[in-house]
Amino acid sequence: KTGFSIDWKQCALIVHSGLRGSMALVLVLIVDETEEIDRTSRDKAVFYVSGIVISTIILQGSTTEMLVKYLGLNESSIAEKIAFVKSCSILESCILDDLGRFKQEDF
């Protein structure tokens, strides 16, 4: 267990899933707007980083389901299933209450 009440299997999935290049893409977009760097270098940086990000999305995205099954994270305990059903019921009730109030209010 870690300090966040997740076990090593969940940590492995988090590491595998990651941000999938989102930070790299944000940084390269900042570089692309920097006038002090010549246009050719900026274009190359955007091209290469975008290619790496897309490759990462394809590779990690296509293997996540297999990893979840391999680690056994696709199996829920009875307590987890009950908690999920109760949570869905509470959310549905809240949504219906909000919709009822929205119908009564004038905008």
Side-chain angles (χ1 to χ4, degrees), residues 17-101:
S17 299
L19 294 175
R20 295 192 179 147
S22 62
M23 291 305 296
L25 196 54
V26 167
L27 292 174
V28 82
L29 291 174
I30 292 170
V31 167
D32 190 43
E33 294 296 319
T34 304
E35 297 293 329
E36 291 83 15
I37 302 171
D38 65 285
R39 172 51 60 193
T40 304
S41 296
R42 289 186 281 164
D43 289 346
K44 283 182 181 179
V46 171
F47 176 77
Y48 290 126
V49 170
S50 298
I52 292 168
V53 169
I54 290 170
S55 300
T56 302
I57 289 171
I58 291 170
L59 177 67
Q60 288 178 301
S62 64
T63 58
T64 300
E65 182 180 3
M66 291 183 287
L67 181 63
V68 167
K69 288 179 181 177
Y70 177 77
L71 294 174
L73 295 173
N74 60 332
E75 302 162 1
S76 301
S77 68
I78 293 176
E80 290 171 328
K81 289 177 184 177
I82 291 170
F84 178 76
V85 169
K86 285 183 179 180
S87 297
C88 287
S89 176
I90 291 169
L91 286 171
E92 183 179 15
S93 176
C94 290
I95 290 169
L96 292 174
D97 288 346
D98 288 345
L99 283 174
R101 275 184 293 181

